[in-house]
Amino acid sequence: MTLLQAIIMGIVEGITEFLPISSTGHMALTGAILGIKDKDFMALFIETIQFGAIISVLVLYWKKFLDFKHLQFYLKLLVAFIPAAIVGVLLKARIEEIIKNPLTITIIMFLGGIILLFIDNWFKNPVVDREEDITYRNSLVIGLFQLLAIVFPGFSRSAATIMGGMQQKLTRSAAAEFSFFLAVPTLAGAFAKSLWDAWRHNPALLTHENIHFLIIGNVVAFIVAILAIKGFISFLVKHGFRIFGWYRIIVGIILLIFLLTGHSLAL
């Protein structure tokens, strides 16, 4: 990996992490297009660069996360996080293998796009517009929906959790915000687990140069994610999911044609 590649990957992560278009899919495909040869480090980079996106949520919603008088907020996040924590640990090796397979990710991205075309019609008449009104049952169901993104890398964690929120009668804005909140423990857990596994089983990945690239990527992702979060909620409230669905379908078709005709994404 080069410095320019780390910066580009950071930009892609910052833009896509909180949009329902799959940051994992875009990162994996971007890494392949950029011709990054070290697949093991690319997988580690994809899993740990999300830390920058976590910090952006904490910065934008710091009042929410530092309001220790309302412990229910943290308990709801814990309830929603538990399914991902369990399944993520059990399927980590499988997930890493899928990340290295552009064709599988492309298919999942395409199918996820089809689903996004219908979300606005499936889930109507929301009644929950504030985090305070989200119940523990709502939180658990949203956490179970998040498993879609873990079992099928390329589906989009954001899309899965927002879909879960809307299925539980949350408004688009409330579902998106809870998705942001839930990203903090989920991505923090993935970040810590990935670094721990690398340190224990493949310390050669944690060279001074690679750590430098991880820091640069996270800083870039943090800056870009702040801008993406600010614009996403207002856009989602006004326009819904269809444009994201069509985007995923178009990108998926282009990439599927490219891959199925015998071309490689590696330059």
Side-chain angles (χ1 to χ4, degrees):
M1 180 176 286
T2 66
L3 177 61
L4 179 59
Q5 289 172 334
I7 292 174
I8 293 174
M9 295 281 279
I11 293 173
V12 173
E13 164 63 20
I15 293 174
T16 60
E17 179 58 51
F18 299 107
L19 302 184
I21 56 176
S22 175
S23 63
T24 298
H26 279 77
M27 291 280 286
L29 294 172
T30 300
I33 292 171
L34 292 175
I36 298 175
K37 304 300 182 183
D38 189 343
K39 301 304 180 184
D40 289 333
F41 178 66
M42 186 178 74
L44 176 65
F45 189 89
I46 291 173
E47 293 165 354
T48 55
I49 195 177
Q50 296 168 329
F51 186 75
I54 297 172
I55 302 301
S56 70
V57 175
L58 294 176
V59 169
L60 289 175
Y61 294 95
W62 66 271
K63 291 183 179 179
K64 193 73 176 177
F65 280 92
L66 294 181
D67 185 6
F68 300 113
K69 296 179 181 178
H70 296 86
L71 293 180
Q72 285 192 346
F73 170 70
Y74 304 101
L75 293 176
K76 291 173 187 176
L77 292 185
L78 178 61
V79 169
F81 167 67
I82 287 175
I86 296 173
V87 176
V89 170
L90 295 176
L91 299 182
K92 186 175 186 298
R94 176 186 176 277
I95 294 167
E96 290 178 346
E97 288 303 313
I98 294 177
I99 288 175
K100 299 174 186 177
N101 189 332
L103 179 58
T104 302
I105 289 178
T106 298
I107 293 172
I108 294 173
M109 183 183 297
F110 172 80
L111 295 176
I114 294 177
I115 292 174
L116 289 184
L117 294 181
F118 302 99
I119 287 181
D120 294 315
N121 293 326
W122 287 344
F123 308 126
K124 295 182 177 180
N125 304 316
V127 295
V128 180
D129 193 35
R130 303 185 310 155
E131 176 275 319
E132 292 81 0
D133 297 325
I134 298 174
T135 66
Y136 290 113
R137 180 184 179 280
N138 297 150
S139 301
L140 178 59
V141 172
I142 294 171
L144 292 173
F145 265 83
Q146 184 170 232
L147 297 182
L148 289 171
I150 295 177
V151 177
F152 303 107
F155 186 86
S156 170
R157 190 205 64 81
S158 176
T161 51
I162 294 175
M163 186 190 312
M166 292 177 65
Q167 192 275 334
Q168 289 296 294
K169 297 296 185 180
L170 274 66
T171 62
R172 290 174 184 166
S173 59
E177 285 198 341
F178 193 79
S179 174
F180 299 160
F181 301 153
L182 182 54
V184 174
T186 302
L187 301 185
F191 170 81
K193 182 68 166 59
S194 296
L195 282 184
W196 174 254
D197 287 346
W199 181 74
R200 288 186 60 193
H201 304 300
N202 197 357
L205 292 177
L206 300 177
T207 64
H208 176 77
E209 183 179 41
N210 283 350
I211 292 176
H212 175 72
F213 290 144
L214 288 175
I215 293 173
I216 293 296
N218 274 285
V219 170
V220 174
F222 163 72
I223 296 171
V224 176
I226 285 182
L227 301 176
I229 290 175
K230 286 185 175 181
F232 174 54
I233 291 183
S234 60
F235 183 91
L236 184 64
V237 170
K238 293 178 181 178
H239 304 287
F241 284 96
R242 289 183 65 85
I243 189 170
F244 297 109
W246 283 117
Y247 167 80
R248 290 177 60 141
I249 290 171
I250 293 171
V251 171
I253 290 174
I254 293 172
L255 292 175
L256 280 173
I257 293 173
F258 194 74
L259 292 169
L260 294 177
T261 52
H263 294 83
S264 172
L265 285 176
L267 298 179

